[in-house]
Amino acid sequence: MSEYYQIAVDGFSSCGKSTLARQIGEVLHITYIDSGAMYRAAALLALRNNCIINEKLQPECFRPVLQKADIQFHKSTNHLLLNGDDVEEEIRQHEVADNVSEVASHGFVRTLLMQLQRNYSHTSSIVMDGRDIGTHVFPKAQVKLFIVADPQVRAERRFRELQEKNSSSTFEQVLDNIQKRDKLDQSREVAPLRKADDAIEIDNSHLTRKEQLEKAIRIINEKLEDKQ
Ligand code: CDP
């Protein structure tokens, strides 16, 4: 068995997975990977290359572009680098948010990004957040967490976050985007969002960040002890 372990953090849009997974990485001193940032980078790349027409990704246009792309994280800032450029801010814009679930629904996109995601597990223990980490990317992950929260609460959190970044998005736009992505992510044919049978659910609608972290660390410690 590999000396490294994996922690999968899956859940719906804007439920605080990324914050939690980043904190877990810091507490346990393991690598944190935001798989959503990789899908967002793919969506940005598709937009830049005009491979999305009438909200639909054109595979014949995008496949060669994606195959040549270099998608990785900066070693110290952890920002997403697309072909060497820091696109961390751009991938959070609403044009990307509006197109990412369509791009992520294509099998060839998922196969390519999944390979990159799995490579990270060869060199260190990792915590990765996303939609299909516990079900597809690391089905044998030692710990699987599934995060849920009320859609209204999620939209409020994301709206506040965007306001701090001076975004012009309205609350209604944010809620609408969350609901649309939830639907697309759950209904797509390839690797849809669902809770793995062995995942532990955390509803954080009424938990502070600190409370949710404490809960997650308790679960992780128990699971990792059981496996030893
Ligand atoms: O941060 P937020 O929850 O808004 O989304 P994200 O984690 O940045 O992911 C953006 C989008 O990428 C999701 O809505 C999914 O459509 C897609 N995604 C996916 O399909 N599989 C993953 N493992 C991660 C993200």
Side-chain angles (χ1 to χ4, degrees):
M1 205 180 89
S2 159
E3 59 192 295
Y4 302 123
Y5 63 85
Q6 294 97 42
I7 300 174
V9 182
D10 288 304
F12 293 89
S13 298
S14 313
C15 66
K17 304 178 301 287
S18 305
T19 307
L20 176 64
R22 183 177 305 111
Q23 289 174 321
I24 292 172
E26 282 166 10
V27 172
L28 301 180
H29 304 289
I30 60 174
T31 305
Y32 160 58
I33 302 290
D34 174 358
S35 71
M38 300 169 81
Y39 285 99
R40 285 171 179 267
L44 176 64
L45 192 65
L47 285 166
R48 281 184 178 174
N49 286 275
N50 301 316
C51 294
I52 300 178
I53 299 174
N54 293 333
E55 299 182 5
K56 291 281 170 215
L57 181 73
Q58 309 297 310
E60 63 291 352
C61 168
F62 191 50
R63 193 176 279 115
V65 174
L66 184 64
Q67 275 164 353
K68 275 195 275 154
D70 176 21
I71 296 177
Q72 53 174 296
F73 293 92
H74 190 281
K75 296 269 176 310
S76 51
T77 60
N78 222 12
H79 286 182
L80 198 287
L81 302 180
L82 176 59
N83 296 329
D85 292 335
D86 185 329
V87 291
E88 188 62 35
E89 243 181 68
E90 245 178 298
I91 59 171
R92 309 291 163 192
Q93 304 294 328
H94 72 84
E95 205 189 353
V96 171
D98 286 344
N99 289 283
V100 60
S101 293
E102 158 61 15
V103 173
S105 70
H106 289 258
F108 75 94
V109 176
R110 305 201 70 83
T111 306
L112 206 142
L113 295 189
M114 187 162 74
Q115 200 48 54
L116 296 179
Q117 289 155 8
R118 285 185 177 155
N119 287 345
Y120 287 106
S121 69
H122 300 156
T123 47
S124 64
S125 292
I126 54 173
V127 49
M128 188 176 292
D129 78 307
R131 305 288 188 286
D132 61 338
I133 311 306
T135 50
H136 287 85
V137 183
F138 298 122
K140 293 191 179 147
Q142 285 77 353
V143 189
K144 297 180 187 178
L145 302 175
F146 193 80
I147 316 299
V148 298
D150 181 69
Q152 193 76 19
V153 173
R154 289 189 275 138
E156 277 161 21
R157 286 178 186 156
R158 179 54 53 100
F159 180 58
R160 237 178 289 131
E161 209 175 271
L162 288 168
Q163 272 193 320
E164 277 163 22
K165 291 181 187 156
N166 295 322
S167 158
S168 58
S169 304
T170 64
F171 177 77
E172 285 68 31
Q173 280 175 329
V174 174
L175 181 61
D176 182 60
N177 176 262
I178 284 180
Q179 286 169 334
K180 274 200 189 123
R181 283 199 288 140
D182 282 357
K183 202 158 154 222
L184 276 171
D185 292 345
Q186 285 175 287
S187 62
R188 70 170 172 239
E189 275 174 35
V190 199
L193 167 65
R194 68 168 182 81
K195 178 173 172 272
D197 295 337
D198 51 349
I200 296 179
E201 187 169 303
I202 299 180
D203 182 339
N204 71 12
S205 306
H206 306 291
L207 294 181
T208 63
R209 288 180 179 190
K210 188 163 174 272
E211 286 166 344
Q212 101 167 336
L213 177 63
E214 283 166 0
K215 190 165 185 169
I217 294 290
R218 252 197 324 273
I219 296 169
I220 292 167
N221 285 339
E222 276 169 23
K223 285 274 173 192
L224 290 180
E225 267 168 32
D226 282 355
K227 309 261 170 186
Q228 271 172 6

